C-alpha cells in the first residue's frame, strides 16, 4: 500500500527513541529561548551591587556573579545566542558545502582539483588554530567567530556533497534530463539536489554540535562574544576568576552548554537512523 | 622511497601555501601592529618611521619572500612587536613544554581508550557496551574547557590535591593531562570499537575460529594486531590536533606552552609570533601525516605492496 514519505517519516519517528528524546530536549531549549523574557526573573545585564556572588538560593536559583547579575536569567538568555550560533553557523556551512560540492562534483576538472587542494590546505592546520587566525583578521565578535568556524568546517560537508553528486551524475534520470534539454543549473539544483536532501539534513545535524562547541570555545578564549553578552563560553571564562569563591559561576553555564550540545547530538543520531537509507535497510 | 619524496614535496608545497595564506590574511588585517608599537596617540610621522624600520610598507609578495628567506635560511622568524624580542627566542622554550604534554597525553589516552574500545567490540550489544557508548556520547558533548574547569573545581578548589595553575612540579602536570586525556578519550574509543568490529567481520577471523583457535588467541593475535594498524596511524595523525587542543587547556592552567602564547599573541595582534606558531604547527601536521602513511605501509603489507607497486 502506498504511504506518503512524510507520513511514513512521522510514523517511524515516533518509534525512534533517539529522535524523540533529542526533539524533546531541543524543544525545551527552543521554549527557553523564545520565552526568555517571561521565564527569566531578571534581565541578563541587570546588576545588583547588594547581591554580589550570592550562592544559589531561592531568589537566585543558580546564584549571582561578580556584578550581582542573576546567573539563571543569564543562562536562559544565553540559549538565544547558542541557537543563533547553530542557525547561522549551520546555514553558512550548508550553503557553502552544497554550492561548492555540487559544482565540483558536477563539473569536475580544474574547479574540482582546486577545491580538493583547498580542502587539503585547511586540513593542514588544525581547525581551532585556523579559526583563531581568521577571527584575528576579521575582528573579535560573535558573528565573526561564527563565520570563522563555518569557514573552517564547510570543507567536510562539501566533500560529502561532491561524492554524492558524482555518484548521482551518471544515473539514468540525469540522462533523461539532459535529453529534455535541461540546463546545467537546473540539473544540479532540480535533479541532483533533491536527492541529497535527506543526507544533507543528517550532515547538518551532525555538524551542529561541533559548531556550537567550537564557537563557544572561541567565546571562552575571548575572541567571540564580548561582555556583557550572556554567552555561555564567556560566562565560564569569567567564572574561572572566581573559581575559589563562587564555583557555581563556571559550573551552570557549562552544564547548559552540554545539555544543548547533547540534544543536537542525540537528535542528529536519531535523524540519521530515520533518513539514511543505508542504515534503514540494515535495521 | 619515491613515494616518500613525493609526499614530502607535496607537504612542502602545502606548508608554503598555508603560510602564504596566513601571511596575506595578517597583512590585510585592519589593526596594524605599528600602532601597537608606537602606542596611543603617536604622530603620523612616527608611525611611518616604524613602518619603514620594519619594512612593513613594502608590497605583500616582497614581504612574504623576505620572511620565507629569513625562516628557511637564517631561522629568523622576525621580531615580536609586543615583547621586542626575536620570535624564535620566545617560541623555542615553549615548544618542549607543549610537546611533552601532548606526547604524555597521547600515550595515556591510547593506553586507556584502545582496551576499552576493544572490550566494547567484543561485548557488542551487552550492557557494558551500551553504557560505554552512552558515556562516550555524553563525553563528546563536553567541551574541553569545561572539563578543565570541572577538574579544577573538584581537585584544586574543593580538595586541594593539585595546584590550580602554574607549571613547575609534577603535580602541575596531573590536571592538564587528565583534561587532555578526557577530552579525546571518547573519540578514540569509538574509533577503536568500529575498527575492531570491521576486523571481526573479516573472513580470516572466521578461518581462525574454524581451525580451532581459542577465543583469546583470535582476539590477541588477529583482531588486536589488525585493528592496531589504523590506531597507530591515528596516533600520529592526532598529535597536531592535540597540540591545538592544548591551546585551550594551556590557557586555563596558565602553562607556558605554545598554545598560551598563541592566544595572547592573537589578542595582542602580534603578527610574527602568530605566523611563526602556525608555520610550526602546519609543519608538524605534515610530518605527522607522512609518518602516519609510512607507518601504515610498514604495518600492513597489503598497503605497502600497492604503494610500492607505484603506478603499476
Amino acid at each position: 500500500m502506498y504511504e506518503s514519505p512524510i507520513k511514513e517519516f512521522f510514523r517511524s519517528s515516533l518509534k525512534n527513541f533517539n529522535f524523540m528524546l533529542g526533539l524533546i530536549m531541543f524543544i525545551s531549549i527552543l521554549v527557553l529561548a523564545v520565552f526568555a523574557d517571561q521565564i527569566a526573573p531578571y534581565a541578563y545585564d541587570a546588576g545588583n551591587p547588594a547581591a554580589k556572588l550570592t550562592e544559589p538560593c531561592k531568589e537566585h536559583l543558580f546564584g549571582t556573579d561578580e556584578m550581582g547579575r542573576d546567573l539563571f536569567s543569564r543562562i536562559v538568555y544565553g540559549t538565544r545566542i547558542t541557537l543563533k550560533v547553530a542557525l547561522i553557523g549551520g546555514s553558512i556551512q550548508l550553503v557553502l558545502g552544497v554550492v561548492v560540492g555540487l559544482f565540483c562534483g558536477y563539473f569536475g576538472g580544474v574547479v574540482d582539483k582546486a577545491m580538493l587542494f583547498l580542502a587539503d590546505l585547511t586540513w593542514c592546520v588544525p581547525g581551532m588554530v585556523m579559526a583563531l587566525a581568521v577571527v584575528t583578521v576579521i575582528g573579535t565578535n560573535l558573528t565573526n567567530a561564527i563565520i570563522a568556524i563555518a569557514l573552517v568546517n564547510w570543507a567536510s560537508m562539501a566533500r560529502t556533497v561532491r561524492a554524492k553528486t558524482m555518484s548521482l551524475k551518471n544515473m539514468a534520470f540525469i540522462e533523461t534530463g539532459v535529453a529534455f534539454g535541461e540546463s546545467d543549473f537546473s540539473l544540479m539544483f532540480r535533479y541532483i539536489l533533491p536527492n541529497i536532501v535527506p543526507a544533507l539534513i543528517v550532515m547538518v545535524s551532525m555538524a551542529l554540535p561541533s559548531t556550537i562547541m567550537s564557537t563557544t570555545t572561541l567565546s571562552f578564549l575571548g575572541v567571540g562574544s564580548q561582555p556583557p553578552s550572556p554567552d555561555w563560553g564567556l560566562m565560564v571564562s569569567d567564572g574561572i576568576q572566581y573559581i575559589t569563591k563562587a564555583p557555581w559561576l563556571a559550573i551552570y553555564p557549562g552544564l547548559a552548554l552540554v545539555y544543548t550540545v547533547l540534544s543536537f547530538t542525540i537528535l542528529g543520531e536519531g535523524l540519521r537512523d530515520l533518513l539514511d537509507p543505508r542504515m534503514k535497510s540494515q535495521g | 622511497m619515491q613515494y616518500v619524496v613525493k609526499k614530502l614535496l607535496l607537504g612542502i608545497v602545502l606548508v608554503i601555501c598555508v603560510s602564504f595564506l596566513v601571511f596575506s590574511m595578517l597583512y590585510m588585517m585592519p589593526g596594524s601592529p605599528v600602532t601597537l608599537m608606537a602606542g596611543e596617540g603617536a604622530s603620523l610621522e612616527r608611525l611611518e618611521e616604524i613602518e619603514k624600520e620594519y619594512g612593513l610598507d613594502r608590497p605583500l609578495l616582497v614581504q612574504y619572500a623576505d620572511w620565507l628567506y629569513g625562516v628557511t635560511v637564517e631561522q629568523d622568524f622576525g621580531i615580536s612587536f609586543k615583547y621586542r624580542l626575536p620570535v624564535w627566542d620566545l617560541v623555542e622554550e615553549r615548544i618542549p613544554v607543549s610537546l611533552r604534554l601532548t606526547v604524555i597525553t597521547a600515550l595515556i589516552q591510547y593506553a586507556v581508550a584502545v582496551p576499552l574500545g576493544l572490550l566494547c567490540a567484543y561485548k557488542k550489544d551487552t550492557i557494558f557496551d551500551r553504557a560505554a557508548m552512552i558515556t562516550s556520547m555524553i563525553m563528546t558533548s563536553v567541551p574541553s574547557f569545561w572539563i578543565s574547569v570541572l577538574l579544577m573545581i573538584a581537585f584544586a578548589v574543593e580538595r586541594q590535591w593539585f595546584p590550580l595553575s602554574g607549571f613547575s612540579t609534577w603535580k602541575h602536570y596531573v590536571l592538564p593531562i587528565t583534561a587532555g586525556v578526557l577530552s579525546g578519550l571518547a573519540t578514540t574509543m569509538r574509533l577503536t570499537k568500529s575498527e575492531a568490529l570491521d576486523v571481526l567481520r573479516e573472513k580470516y577471523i572466521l578461518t581462525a575460529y574454524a581451525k580451532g583457535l581459542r577465543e583469546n588467541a583470535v582476539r590477541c593475535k588477529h583482531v588486536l594486531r589488525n585493528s592496531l594498524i589504523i590506531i597507530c596511524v591515528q596516533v600520529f595523525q592526532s598529535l597536531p590536533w592535540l597540540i591545538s587542543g592544548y591551546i585551550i587547556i594551556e590557557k586555563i592552567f596558565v602553562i607556558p606552552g605554545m598554545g598560551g602564547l598563541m592566544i595572547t599573541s592573537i589578542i595582542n595582534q602580534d603578527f610574527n609570533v602568530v605566523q611563526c606558531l602556525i608555520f610550526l604547527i602546519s609543519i608538524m601536521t605534515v610530518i605527522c601525516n607522512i609518518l602516519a602513511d609510512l607507518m601504515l605501509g610498514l604495518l600492513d603489507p597489503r598497503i605497502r605492496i600497492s604503494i610500492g607497486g607505484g603506478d603499476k
Side-chain angles (χ1 to χ4, degrees):
Chain A
M1 199 184 80
Y2 175 77
E3 193 178 28
S4 85
I6 295 172
K7 234 183 193 169
E8 190 201 331
F9 174 79
F10 276 116
R11 232 180 33 152
S12 49
S13 66
L14 281 177
K15 280 187 242 153
N16 187 304
F17 176 74
N18 274 347
F19 179 78
M20 291 314 283
L21 181 66
L23 195 67
I24 291 169
M25 286 169 84
F26 174 68
I27 289 174
S28 68
I29 297 163
L30 207 61
V31 167
L32 281 184
V34 172
F35 297 106
D37 294 324
Q38 283 76 38
I39 293 169
Y42 304 88
Y44 69 85
D45 53 356
N48 177 5
K52 284 180 188 168
L53 298 177
T54 328
E55 277 190 48
C57 58
K58 251 188 199 151
E59 287 98 76
H60 301 286
L61 212 54
F62 292 166
T64 60
D65 66 3
E66 75 280 6
M67 291 186 209
R69 295 175 297 195
D70 181 52
L71 197 63
F72 176 70
S73 308
R74 284 174 67 74
I75 288 176
V76 170
Y77 278 103
T79 51
R80 288 187 175 174
I81 293 178
T82 312
L83 289 184
K84 181 181 159 194
V85 167
L87 191 70
I88 301 180
S91 319
I92 297 177
Q93 288 179 45
L94 181 68
V95 171
L96 272 177
V98 166
V99 172
V100 176
L102 270 179
F103 269 84
C104 290
Y106 186 80
F107 290 114
V110 185
V111 189
D112 189 33
K113 288 243 167 65
M115 191 281 328
L116 278 184
F117 187 71
L118 205 69
D120 271 353
L121 273 188
T122 49
W123 157 96
C124 193
V125 179
M128 207 58 201
V129 178
M130 206 64 195
L132 279 171
V134 173
V135 129
T136 319
V137 175
I138 58 179
T140 52
N141 62 47
L142 179 65
T143 318
N144 286 347
I146 298 174
I147 294 173
I149 293 296
L151 282 182
V152 171
N153 285 343
W154 66 276
S156 70
M157 205 170 294
R159 270 195 176 170
T160 322
V161 174
R162 172 180 172 272
K164 295 239 176 222
T165 310
M166 282 168 83
S167 69
L168 282 171
K169 200 173 70 174
N170 298 321
M171 290 179 86
F173 73 98
I174 298 294
E175 271 173 45
T176 320
V178 175
F180 278 148
E182 295 277 1
S183 67
D184 285 336
F185 185 83
S186 155
L187 281 173
M188 273 192 281
F189 289 93
R190 286 183 48 218
Y191 281 67
I192 297 177
L193 188 59
N195 279 293
I196 51 177
V197 163
L200 281 179
I201 296 175
V202 175
M203 266 193 290
V204 170
S205 59
M206 296 296 229
L208 284 181
S210 70
T211 305
I212 295 175
M213 276 216 279
S214 320
T215 316
T216 317
T217 305
L218 285 184
S219 289
F220 173 83
L221 291 173
V223 296
S225 297
Q226 299 299 320
S229 159
D231 185 291
W232 294 337
L234 197 62
M235 286 162 77
V236 174
S237 109
D238 283 345
I240 290 184
Q241 293 167 351
Y242 303 92
I243 199 166
T244 45
K245 278 181 280 173
W248 58 88
L249 282 182
I251 293 180
Y252 290 118
L255 214 55
L257 178 63
V258 172
Y259 178 77
T260 311
V261 173
L262 204 57
S263 85
F264 279 109
T265 312
I266 297 174
L267 193 65
E269 300 225 336
L271 277 172
R272 190 194 54 200
D273 293 347
L274 283 173
L275 293 174
D276 200 326
R278 200 161 40 102
M279 303 293 286
K280 210 189 241 175
S281 64
Q282 277 176 7
Chain B
M1 200 55 221
Q2 212 183 355
Y3 176 75
V4 179
V5 173
K6 209 171 132 191
K7 276 267 160 191
L8 262 177
L9 283 177
L10 186 71
I12 291 171
V13 172
L14 276 176
V15 168
I16 289 178
C17 285
V18 166
S19 68
F20 180 69
L21 205 74
V22 175
F23 198 91
S24 42
M25 262 170 29
L26 294 177
Y27 176 86
M28 289 183 295
M29 207 166 110
S32 155
V34 180
T35 24
L36 181 88
M37 291 180 64
E40 290 288 316
S43 68
L44 217 67
E45 289 87 59
R46 176 85 187 108
L47 289 183
E48 274 170 14
E49 215 172 273
I50 297 177
E51 213 164 51
K52 258 217 176 82
E53 194 186 328
Y54 288 94
L56 292 168
D57 54 344
R58 295 168 301 164
L60 169 67
L61 271 174
V62 178
Q63 276 192 48
Y64 178 70
D66 193 45
W67 179 84
L68 196 65
Y69 178 81
V71 168
T72 45
V73 181
E74 291 154 8
Q75 214 191 48
D76 170 22
F77 284 93
I79 291 193
S80 156
F81 299 124
K82 174 91 176 18
Y83 300 97
R84 310 274 168 110
L85 279 169
V87 172
W88 186 245
D89 292 358
L90 271 175
V91 174
E92 199 182 12
E93 55 195 48
R94 287 163 196 263
I95 295 177
V97 175
S98 287
L99 276 185
R100 206 181 311 144
L101 276 176
T102 317
V103 171
I104 297 176
T105 306
L107 286 178
I108 298 179
Q109 187 180 311
Y110 283 93
V112 177
V114 170
L116 274 178
L118 284 174
L119 215 59
C120 281
Y122 294 147
K123 297 192 183 285
K124 191 173 178 290
D125 293 330
T126 60
I127 295 174
F128 173 80
D129 175 42
R130 292 262 165 83
M133 282 301 119
I134 290 174
T135 319
S136 82
M137 189 161 88
I138 295 174
M139 272 170 67
T140 44
S141 306
V142 183
S144 63
F145 68 82
W146 200 54
I147 295 184
S148 314
V149 170
L150 283 188
L151 284 172
M152 274 171 122
I153 291 173
F155 299 112
V157 178
E158 293 292 316
R159 294 169 206 79
Q160 275 136 14
W161 292 351
F162 302 106
L164 206 51
S165 61
F167 206 63
S168 42
T169 62
W170 67 269
K171 277 190 167 180
H172 288 97
Y173 281 74
V174 177
L175 290 185
I177 287 179
T178 316
V181 169
L182 284 179
S183 54
L185 196 65
T187 322
T188 316
M189 199 177 95
R190 286 187 157 204
L191 182 89
T192 314
K193 185 193 167 189
S194 70
E195 197 52 43
L197 281 179
D198 277 350
V199 174
L200 277 172
R201 275 188 222 113
E202 297 270 358
K203 290 220 173 64
Y204 56 76
I205 298 296
L206 199 67
T207 315
Y209 278 122
K211 72 182 180 189
L213 281 185
R214 297 241 174 113
E215 188 80 39
N216 283 337
V218 176
R219 283 178 181 179
C220 295
K221 274 198 171 161
H222 296 268
V223 181
L224 180 65
R225 267 182 67 176
N226 282 297
S227 30
L228 272 183
I229 293 174
I230 293 295
I231 292 155
C232 277
V233 174
Q234 186 69 24
V235 174
F236 280 100
Q237 280 183 337
S238 67
L239 281 180
W241 297 88
L242 277 173
I243 290 178
S244 78
Y246 260 108
I247 292 178
I248 298 144
I249 296 171
E250 278 176 13
K251 171 157 195 267
I252 298 173
F253 289 99
V254 201
I255 295 167
M258 285 158 69
L261 182 67
M262 177 122 175
I263 294 285
T264 35
S265 307
I266 281 182
I267 290 170
N268 292 325
Q269 307 194 329
D270 203 344
F271 276 15
N272 286 343
V273 181
V274 178
Q275 173 78 20
C276 169
L277 287 173
I278 294 184
F279 186 69
L280 290 177
I281 290 178
S282 59
I283 288 183
M284 238 177 293
T285 318
V286 167
I287 292 178
C288 285
N289 276 309
I290 294 176
L291 281 179
D293 277 355
L294 289 182
M295 197 79 169
L296 191 66
L298 221 67
L299 291 173
D300 193 340
R302 285 170 302 180
I303 296 169
R304 186 162 64 224
I305 289 164
S306 74
I307 293 172
D311 309 309
K312 284 180 193 124

